[in-house]
Amino acid sequence: EGVQLKVLLLDLSQYFSKASNMLYDVVEAPLGLMYVMTYLKKQLKGKIKGKIAKSRIDFDNYAELRQLLEEFQPNVIGLRTLFFYKDFFHQTVAMIRHWGFKGPVIAGGPYATSDYKSVLQDTNLDLVVIGEGELTTTQLIGAIIDNKGQLPRENVLKEIPGIAYVPKQLSITQFPKG
């Protein structure tokens, strides 16, 4: 026992400061992720070590994000963004995988929830939380802990309400329309 699952939650709802296409220059705290992390820690008492980071504030370029990953060494990464930042979101997920991160990558938040079928076409992501964030994420992280830090098998995933994923035996082109 005593081994903690390291969970990194990234808020990608702001471009890096060098980006010229800023929608507006206002910084908002990642309140949703703060709530999810607080709930995770309360429910999974001592089983996780959590960290939240927001683009432009906690890391302002890909080198700083990579350094954050190398220092914290997460077992699971959760990401959220708004629809407006979807290209930045997918580019960031691709970079995380390119750097060799092999653990589960989970998407949530407004963009992932509203367009999960498109989000799941990104093979760098494992699944999308579309249910109540804190409840679904806690159940999912609990299942990952039970499976020694790895994404559980599909028979376990099927029992978790509020997630969407592409079953391994299906390609995305066969994903059921709904």
Side-chain angles (χ1 to χ4, degrees), residues 13-125:
S13 57
Q14 215 156 8
Y15 292 122
F16 299 142
S17 61
K18 291 219 186 307
S20 57
N21 49 355
M22 290 295 295
L23 179 62
Y24 58 97
D25 199 8
V26 177
V27 175
E28 297 170 350
L31 295 176
L33 293 184
M34 291 164 69
Y35 182 72
V36 169
M37 184 63 75
T38 300
Y39 193 84
L40 277 171
K41 287 181 174 182
K42 182 178 178 192
Q43 297 300 314
L44 300 173
K45 298 178 184 17
K47 293 182 181 176
I48 70 159
K49 180 176 183 181
K51 185 174 191 72
I52 299 171
K54 184 174 171 83
S55 56
R56 192 161 187 238
I57 308 305
D58 300 302
F59 57 96
D60 200 22
N61 55 50
Y62 285 118
E64 289 179 8
L65 175 59
R66 187 173 187 174
Q67 182 178 355
L68 176 81
L69 293 176
E70 288 172 358
E71 289 173 3
F72 185 64
Q73 297 189 339
N75 304 104
V76 178
I77 297 176
L79 306 128
R80 75 162 303 271
T81 197
L82 305 171
F83 195 84
F84 182 82
Y85 300 98
K86 68 179 187 170
D87 294 337
F88 176 54
F89 172 90
H90 290 289
Q91 183 178 350
T92 302
V93 175
M95 293 300 292
I96 289 169
R97 289 298 192 194
H98 174 75
W99 297 327
F101 182 75
K102 303 260 189 270
V105 176
I106 302 162
Y111 165 54
T113 303
S114 65
D115 198 13
Y116 69 90
K117 289 180 182 176
S118 295
V119 172
L120 286 171
Q121 291 178 24
D122 186 335
T123 56
N124 291 310
L125 292 161

